[in-house]
Amino acid sequence: MANTAFHGLNGWVLAIEMAAGTAAVIWHCSSAVASLLLAVVLLLGLWVLLLRGPRTSSSYPKTEKPSAAAATDEIGASPAEMGNLKHQGPVRWSFMPSNGILCCNTREPMAFENENASVKALVLHRPTHDADCEAAGQYPYAWHFHGRKRIWEVRVQIRFKRLPKGKICFGLEMRPAEGHQKTFLTQQVQRTLVGAMRAAIGNDIYHTPGDDPASTEGEVESPAFVMPLWAVDQFHVAVPGQEPLLSANLDRIGMKRTDSVRAYIEAMRVTTENLSCDKVYTFCVWGVSPFVDVSTWELKGLWPGFKMDAAKLSGDPLVYVAAYDLEETRDQSQRHLESCKSYYFKVALWSTLKPPKAELLPMQTEQEQQTKASAKREAKEQMLQRKRALDRLLRWTCVCGA
């Protein structure tokens, strides 16, 4: 690519060399003509170097469009839905500890494993960043979102390696922000949002604004919205090998909280009291999605026309979706401290439209690391090519002036 990028530049340098050689021949004939030619050579050389310059990434030749098979395999949708892969959207996520940065709306779930559980997860999100695309219904899983209010849905399958010792909690965590202050309006919105979550899920919600690391002694509690496990919107229990495919239509699978809240809570209570390491548990969550748009990183829907930058509430535009076993302590308030948690999974979630600071992001995939390393090598080669071309130009300029 570097040779292609500098093919035109080397051609100009060759032309300059020929002009300089001609100038050297004429030099002895007329000093005035030689001076004029020398000036032309210098100006032409500067023009080439300034206008051609180092190419940006947008100047590189465009790559070929991916084949239909590649589009389907990578994103999990037909080429018509994907529109040349653009509908993978701006949402990014990663298991923690990270095994790579992932996109939403994939055909296959992503797998993760730790000492507590084996996990598969699938993140679905409407293209709320692209109104035309959403209106046309040409995006992955449009068949699932059509006619529904939900903006996103998270599907998780868990096979426990050890049974929980305390209460299983599921919810959102944020990073403790030193000195982060919420305005009065933001605090009111937060109260309204928590109220909406209670109305959608129930009263058994643990909400904490978190501790300020600058003014807290001892262990710091992270800001969080935490729910009991029965607050998920749908669940299913199966023996290994008979669990449903996460990318399939799950409408008739297991139980939904909207079918009958009382029956659902009772069924979930029985399930959690009889958890087994020999079963696969499928959970789906979407209840609070109408209020939180991850793609645009906005809070919305609390009242007609309401929209607000979610970073005003979360601080850093990065949240964690987590499920953990909370060990009981003597502390009556039962704060959700890291030392009391045993994570079954923890997922970092963010949007490329409002990315967090680079140092907060999980590690990149091996492919992304190789791409960046390749880009650095190409940039270095480009600089060397320019330096060689400039050296050649200066040498011939000296010949003309000799």
Side-chain angles (χ1 to χ4, degrees), residues 109-398:
M110 302 302 169
F112 175 81
E113 192 167 348
N114 60 22
E115 66 275 13
N116 298 320
S118 297
V119 180
K120 293 181 180 179
L122 182 66
V123 179
L124 312 179
H125 203 296
R126 289 176 179 269
T128 51
H129 62 291
D130 188 337
D132 293 337
C133 172
E134 186 172 13
Q138 295 295 320
Y139 60 90
Y141 297 98
W143 56 266
H144 176 65
F145 285 108
H146 179 71
R148 293 182 163 123
K149 294 182 179 180
R150 68 192 70 170
I151 293 178
W152 48 261
E153 182 174 330
V154 176
R155 299 176 172 185
V156 179
Q157 282 179 339
I158 300 179
R159 183 173 181 181
F160 296 101
K161 291 184 178 180
R162 68 162 186 83
L163 298 179
K165 299 178 182 178
K167 180 174 64 174
I168 298 180
C169 298
F170 175 85
L172 300 178
E173 298 179 352
M174 285 144 276
R175 291 174 55 84
E178 187 171 324
H180 177 63
Q181 298 293 329
K182 298 182 177 71
T183 65
F184 175 77
L185 177 60
T186 301
Q187 292 176 9
Q188 293 302 113
V189 169
Q190 181 173 281
R191 293 190 185 96
T192 304
L193 180 60
V194 173
M197 292 176 67
R198 293 187 190 280
I201 297 172
N203 290 322
D204 196 5
I205 291 177
Y206 180 79
H207 166 242
T208 172
D211 298 326
D212 186 345
S215 58
T216 302
E217 295 184 3
E219 189 173 0
V220 174
E221 183 181 36
S222 300
F225 294 94
V226 182
M227 305 166 285
L229 194 58
W230 60 259
V232 301
D233 297 280
Q234 183 178 0
F235 82 96
H236 177 264
V237 183
V239 296
Q242 297 185 14
E243 65 273 16
L245 183 65
L246 288 182
S247 59
N249 187 342
L250 302 184
D251 285 351
R252 300 182 182 276
I253 299 296
M255 292 188 67
K256 296 180 183 178
R257 189 161 44 84
T258 53
D259 295 336
S260 171
V261 175
R262 181 175 298 180
Y264 183 86
I265 293 176
E266 176 61 21
M268 183 63 82
R269 182 189 65 79
V270 173
T271 299
T272 54
E273 289 179 356
N274 295 276
L275 291 175
S276 169
C277 295
D278 298 321
K279 297 289 181 65
V280 177
Y281 299 87
T282 301
F283 302 105
C284 302
V285 182
W286 67 79
V288 299
S289 71
F291 309 118
V292 183
D293 189 331
V294 180
S295 181
T296 60
W297 209 257
E298 291 178 328
L299 302 176
K300 57 173 60 175
L302 295 180
W303 56 80
F306 168 77
K307 282 187 180 182
M308 189 181 82
D309 184 355
K312 293 181 179 179
L313 190 64
S314 65
D316 295 316
L318 177 71
V319 298
Y320 301 95
V321 181
Y324 53 87
D325 174 14
L326 185 66
E327 181 183 349
E328 296 183 1
T329 66
R330 296 180 181 179
D331 184 358
Q332 296 299 319
S333 65
Q334 188 59 68
R335 303 173 71 219
H336 289 223
L337 302 174
E338 288 293 309
S339 60
C340 299
K341 299 175 184 177
S342 295
Y343 285 100
Y344 294 111
F345 67 84
K346 184 174 181 178
V347 169
L349 192 65
W350 70 96
S351 171
T352 58
L353 296 182
K354 294 183 180 178
K357 298 175 183 177
E359 60 267 23
L360 301 180
L361 291 176
M363 59 173 269
Q364 297 169 320
T365 63
E366 183 177 352
Q367 181 179 0
E368 289 172 326
Q369 291 174 341
Q370 291 176 351
T371 300
K372 284 199 170 186
S374 177
K376 287 183 178 179
R377 287 194 298 269
E378 290 176 1
K380 184 177 180 180
E381 180 63 24
Q382 289 177 4
M383 293 301 296
L384 289 174
Q385 290 269 4
R386 292 184 67 239
K387 185 177 183 301
R388 294 189 191 107
L390 182 59
D391 288 344
R392 292 164 65 184
L393 175 62
L394 292 176
R395 283 199 301 270
W396 279 104
T397 302
C398 291

Side-chain angles (χ1 to χ4, degrees), residues 15-45 393 396-397 400-401:
I16 294 170
E17 289 176 349
M18 294 174 63
T22 303
V25 172
I26 298 175
W27 178 266
H28 298 288
C29 299
S30 171
S31 61
V33 173
S35 298
L36 178 60
L37 286 175
L38 179 59
V40 170
V41 168
L42 290 175
L43 288 174
L44 185 58
L393 175 62
W396 279 104
T397 302
C400 291

